[in-house]
Amino acid sequence: MEQLDLIEEITRNDGSRYYEISNIDQNGIAELAVDHGEIKKVRILQLNIPRTTALIEYEKYINDTYDLQTLTNEDDWKNPKWVEWDKPKGKILDAYHMILKANRIG
């Protein structure tokens, strides 16, 4: 299970932006996705975010829902596939918003 500990801003190819709670490994995948033209830009906004109940809940959802790419897997970093993580309404979306608010983002 990957721990999430940073917040980044992703700029899609159409110029729209969104925030993601991530980690340095996933940020590396995002940087590779920029190099491959799958997204336009990524930048880290906040490092070492507090491990709140909301973060732990969101982190569990991401780990349970997505097959996370990793920089230790050569196929992932040679051919990254950008996946924008869904944030379903209810406790997951609420947790996501709480994390952003607690870190004064958005």
Side-chain angles (χ1 to χ4, degrees), residues 40-96:
K40 191 173 194 175
K41 184 173 154 186
V42 60
R43 69 184 181 118
I44 295 173
L45 301 177
Q46 185 77 32
L47 291 168
N48 301 319
I49 60 175
R51 291 204 50 80
T52 61
T53 304
L55 176 61
I56 292 166
E57 187 164 336
Y58 184 75
E59 180 180 271
K60 181 178 179 347
Y61 160 75
I62 294 300
N63 278 280
D64 289 350
T65 305
Y66 295 97
D67 182 21
L68 299 177
Q69 299 176 79
T70 175
L71 295 174
T72 59
N73 181 342
E74 189 173 350
D75 288 340
D76 289 346
W77 57 261
K78 280 192 170 180
N79 188 23
K81 293 170 187 62
W82 186 251
V83 176
E84 186 172 333
W85 298 337
D86 289 325
K87 292 147 190 75
K89 286 184 182 176
K91 66 180 186 173
I92 300 305
L93 186 59
D94 292 348
Y96 169 81

Side-chain angles (χ1 to χ4, degrees), residues 10-18 30 33-42 82 84:
I10 308 292
T11 304
R12 299 176 185 100
N13 285 332
D14 68 4
S16 62
R17 297 179 187 163
Y18 71 98
V34 170
D35 292 346
H36 286 79
E38 293 196 32
I39 55 177
K40 191 173 194 175
K41 184 173 154 186
V42 60
W82 186 251
E84 186 172 333

